[in-house]
Amino acid sequence: MLLDKYKRIITVLIFAFMTVSVFAADTSALVKKQLTAAEDAMDEGDIDTAYKKVNGALQMMNDETSSTLRASVISEAKLVYAEKLNAILEKYNGAALSDVTIMIEKYPDVKNTKIEKLLAQIEEKQKIEAENQRKAELAASEAAAQKRHNEEQQSIKQQTQALEKQNEALSKQAESNAELAESMKNQAEELAKSNENSEKNLKAIQEGFAGMQDSMSDQAEALKESSRAQAKSTTIMVFSIVGIAVLILIIVFVVIIIARRSMKQQAERQEQYMQAFRLIAENTSNTNRIMLGGATDLYGQGAPLKLAGTSTWAPAAALPDVTFSPEDEEELKQLAVKCEEIGAQIDQVTNRKNNSKNVSELVYKLSMQLGLSQGNSMLNFCAAMIYDAGFLGVDPSIWEADTLTDEQKDEMHNHVNIAEKYLDFVPKKYWQVFDDASKKHHENMDGSGYPNGLKGDDIPQIARLIRVAETFVSMSSRRNYRQAMDKETAIEKLREQPQFYDSAVVDTLDQIV
C-alpha cells in the first residue's frame, strides 16, 4: 500500500517536471520569434514595429530564459530603443517618449550611455522649444502693444492738429473783432468831434445874431435843446460800442483759456502714453525680440499679391504697412484649416507622411527670413500646403508600381496641369499665388523644368521657394529605397545644382535649419 503511494507521488513529480520543461521551451521559442521579428523590422527601417516586437520579447522572458537569449534580447533592445529615441528627437512625440521611459524603468538593463544621452537631448530640445514659444508669444504681445501705441499717438496728433487749427481760427477771429472795436471807437470819436463842432457852430450863430436875440430866442432855445439831445444820444452810442468791444474781448479771452486747458490735458495724456510705452520698452529689453514682420495688405488688387511672381527678394519697401481687419484675419485662418485638410489627403495618397506640413512650414520660415511680410508669408504657407493637389487626380495604381511606364510618367508630370480643379475654394484675391504654387513648382532656374520651361526670375517666388523646400524635405526624410541625408549634406547637394534651385533661397535655407 505504501509502495503504491510513493509510485503515484513520483509519477506526479515527473509529469510536472516535463510540463515545466515544455512550457519553458515554448516560452524561449516565442522570445526568439519576437527577437527575430524585431531584427527584421530594423533591417527594413520600420522602427515602430521593431520597438513593439522587442518589447514583446522583453515581456516574455522569465527565469527559465537562457542567459544567451536574454543577452541577445537586451542587446537588440538597446539598438531599437536608441533608434526610437532618435526618431522622437527628430520629431517630438510625447506619448511615445512616455512609453519608452516606462519601459526603460521596467527593464533597466536596456539603458546605456547612448540612450541616457538621447533622453537628455530630447529634454533639452523641449526646453528650448518651450522657451522659443514663450518668446514668440511675448514678441506678438509687444507688437500688439506697439501697434496700439502708434494708433493712439496718431489719434493724439490728429486731435492736436485740429486744436491748433481751431486756435488759429479763434486768433484770427479775435484780431477781426479787435479791428471792429477799433473802427467803432474811431466812429465814436468822429461823432464826438461832430457834436463839438455843432456846439461851436451854435455858439457862433448866437454871437452872429446877437441883434436878433429877442426875435429868435425861441428858435435858439429849441436848437440848443436839440444839440443837447444829440450829444446825449452820441454819448450813449459811444458807451454801447465800447461795451460791445469789451464783451467781445472777454469772450475771446475765455475761449483762449479753454483751448489752452484742453491742449494741456492732451499733453498730459500724451505723456502718460509715453510713460506706458517706456515701461513696455524697459520690460522688453531683457528678452530676445523675434521679428515676425509687419502686417501687409493682402486684400487689394495691386502690388501685394503680384509680389509672389516678381524677381526681388526685398519686398518690404514696395508694400504698404497696414493692418488686417478681424474679418480678413478670420478668412485667412479658415483658408489655412481647409488647406491642412487637403494637404493631409495628398500625403495619404502619395504615402509621404507629413510632407505637406513639413514643406509648408519650411516655406513660411524661408519667406519670413527673405523679408516677405507676415501676411504674404502666411499666404505662401497655405499655398505650399496644397502645391501637389494635382496628385489627387492621378491613377492610384501608379503609386503601387515599382517602375513606371512612359505613359505613367507623363500622367505624373500632368499633375501640375490638373491641380486647379481642386483649388475652387481659394478666394479670387489669393488665386494667383495658389496657381503659381501648384503649376510651376517643377520649373528650373536654367529653363529645363516643366510645364512651361520658365527660367530665372520668370519663375514666381512661391514656386522657387517650394522647389527648394520640397527637395530638402525629401532628401532629409527616410525612404524605402535610401537612408535620410543629414541637413548639411542635403544643403550642399542643393548648392551644387544652381541650374535647378534659386541660390538665394538655398543660402537662406542654410541659415535657418
Side-chain angles (χ1 to χ4, degrees), residues 52-326:
K52 292 178 182 177
K53 296 299 182 180
V54 81
N55 282 342
L58 287 170
Q59 293 169 353
M60 289 181 183
M61 288 193 308
N62 53 35
D63 295 339
E64 303 299 328
T65 303
S66 66
S67 58
T68 302
L69 180 57
R70 180 184 297 275
S72 298
V73 172
I74 294 298
S75 176
E76 183 67 18
K78 290 179 179 180
L79 294 175
V80 174
Y81 276 43
E83 288 299 319
K84 184 71 172 179
L85 290 173
N86 270 322
I88 295 173
L89 179 61
E90 181 71 22
K91 182 180 178 183
Y92 182 76
N93 185 325
L97 177 62
S98 176
D99 186 66
V100 172
T101 304
I102 291 171
M103 293 302 296
I104 290 175
E105 291 176 356
K106 186 174 181 181
Y107 301 104
D109 291 342
V110 174
K111 183 184 293 187
N112 57 16
T113 303
K114 182 176 182 180
I115 290 175
E116 290 177 347
K117 182 179 179 181
L118 286 170
L119 288 171
Q121 289 176 344
I122 293 171
E123 181 179 1
E124 182 63 23
K125 182 178 180 182
Q126 290 308 300
K127 288 181 180 179
I128 293 172
E129 291 180 354
E131 179 64 15
N132 290 340
Q133 177 67 22
R134 185 188 68 80
K135 290 179 179 179
E137 292 174 355
L138 180 59
S141 176
E142 292 166 359
Q146 176 66 41
K147 178 181 171 182
R148 289 195 299 272
H149 170 73
N150 291 341
E151 291 174 351
E152 291 170 352
Q153 287 293 98
Q154 184 65 23
S155 175
I156 291 172
K157 183 178 179 181
Q158 292 175 352
Q159 293 177 7
T160 302
Q161 291 175 350
L163 285 172
E164 289 175 352
K165 290 181 180 179
Q166 183 179 1
N167 290 336
E168 184 180 351
L170 288 172
S171 297
K172 291 181 179 180
Q173 182 65 37
E175 292 175 0
S176 176
N177 290 337
E179 291 175 358
L180 176 60
E182 183 67 23
S183 175
M184 295 177 69
K185 182 179 179 182
N186 292 336
Q187 290 180 8
E189 291 176 352
E190 290 177 359
L191 287 173
K193 288 179 180 181
S194 176
N195 184 55
E196 184 180 352
N197 291 333
S198 296
E199 290 181 351
K200 289 180 179 180
N201 290 336
L202 178 58
K203 186 176 180 182
I205 290 173
Q206 288 175 346
E207 291 175 354
F209 292 95
M212 301 174 66
Q213 185 176 5
D214 291 340
S215 60
M216 300 181 66
S217 58
D218 293 339
Q219 296 180 3
E221 186 65 26
L223 183 60
K224 187 176 181 179
E225 289 294 332
S226 176
S227 178
R228 289 175 179 172
Q230 185 177 2
K232 184 177 180 180
S233 176
T234 301
T235 302
I236 294 172
M237 182 178 294
V238 170
F239 279 110
S240 298
I241 293 172
V242 172
I244 292 172
V246 171
L247 181 61
I248 291 174
L249 289 175
I250 291 173
I251 293 174
V252 171
F253 182 74
V254 171
V255 170
I256 291 175
I257 290 175
I258 294 173
R260 287 182 177 178
R261 181 174 296 176
S262 177
M263 289 182 66
K264 183 178 180 181
Q265 291 175 349
Q266 291 291 342
E268 291 175 351
R269 284 186 61 193
Q270 185 173 5
E271 181 61 22
Q272 292 174 355
Y273 287 133
M274 289 300 294
Q275 290 177 358
F277 177 72
R278 282 195 291 269
L279 288 174
I280 293 174
E282 290 172 0
N283 292 333
T284 305
S285 64
N286 295 325
T287 62
N288 295 322
R289 298 179 60 88
I290 300 174
M291 301 304 295
L292 295 178
T296 301
D297 183 10
L298 300 173
Y299 305 99
Q301 301 301 320
L305 285 181
K306 293 181 180 179
L307 180 67
T310 62
S311 61
T312 178
W313 286 112
L319 293 173
D321 186 15
V322 298
T323 304
F324 290 138
S325 69

Side-chain angles (χ1 to χ4, degrees), residues 442-453:
H442 282 293
E443 299 287 358
N444 294 328
M445 296 299 289
D446 62 356
S448 62
Y450 66 93
N452 299 320

